[in-house]
Amino acid sequence: MRLIWELLSLKDTAAAAAALAEIVREGDLLLFTGKIGAGKTTFIQDFARSLGITEPVTSPTFVLHTLYESGNITLSHVDLYRLETDAEAEGIGWEDYADDAVTVIEWADRYSKFREPYLHLHFDYGEEENSRLLTISPCGGDWANRLCSR
């Protein structure tokens, strides 16, 4: 099962992020892939706001991992862009928060050892200047059921 969502504007992106925020729970893992500027961080910022996160959410490219605890659920935000090996990704320590937070990982294709269940969100550029195509693929667990219930 794959869902393809055409996001024609920032408003559409915010709506998609809000819809996803309604079905997540502690322990969920969301893997984000796509080219630079394709919308991963923007989606995560909207997602965080929908979870009630009040502090500014930025891409943790240089700090690699940021924890946001001000919302209805803790958000663990990881960025693997600068990493080159699985060992480097394992050294960040994001797994320590995996059970007590929703974990979002940008540039998830830089790590090969993710274990199911997870939700894969891939962003592509759309045909219009500000449009994006979001492909959502559930991998294990009850993700398919949760997505279909929306």
Side-chain angles (χ1 to χ4, degrees):
M1 167 189 177
R2 282 187 337 176
L3 301 172
I4 298 176
W5 201 332
E6 187 173 19
L7 308 172
L8 299 175
S9 66
L10 291 175
K11 185 177 178 181
D12 287 350
T13 299
L20 183 58
E22 289 180 15
I23 64 168
V24 296
R25 54 184 176 237
E26 287 181 347
D28 283 344
L29 176 61
L30 310 177
L31 306 181
F32 289 77
T33 59
K35 295 179 181 173
I36 289 177
K40 298 177 297 293
T41 302
T42 298
F43 187 94
I44 291 169
Q45 290 168 334
D46 290 330
F47 179 74
R49 276 191 291 280
S50 296
L51 293 175
I53 305 288
T54 56
E55 62 257 49
V57 173
T58 59
S59 182
T61 300
F62 294 102
V63 294
L64 304 179
H65 180 236
T66 305
L67 203 60
Y68 300 97
E69 300 178 283
S70 64
N72 305 323
I73 189 169
T74 300
L75 179 66
S76 176
H77 187 186
V78 180
D79 188 320
L80 303 180
Y81 180 72
R82 296 180 333 129
L83 305 185
E84 296 181 14
T85 67
D86 284 347
E88 287 176 314
E90 291 165 354
I92 295 173
W94 58 269
E95 299 93 341
D96 297 341
Y97 304 96
D99 292 337
D100 301 319
V102 173
T103 302
V104 295
I105 300 185
E106 293 189 60
W107 298 98
D109 49 346
R110 306 244 174 171
Y111 182 65
S112 66
K113 297 182 181 180
F114 290 111
R115 291 177 302 204
E116 293 184 2
Y118 57 82
L119 189 66
H120 179 212
L121 298 97
H122 181 77
F123 288 80
D124 280 314
Y125 294 104
E127 291 183 19
E128 301 297 319
E129 182 179 343
N130 293 316
S131 68
R132 301 293 187 262
L133 292 176
L134 169 58
T135 303
I136 301 174
S137 304
C139 298
D142 65 347
W143 276 115
N145 290 336
R146 285 197 265 168
L147 288 169
C148 289
S149 70
R150 279 290 314 138

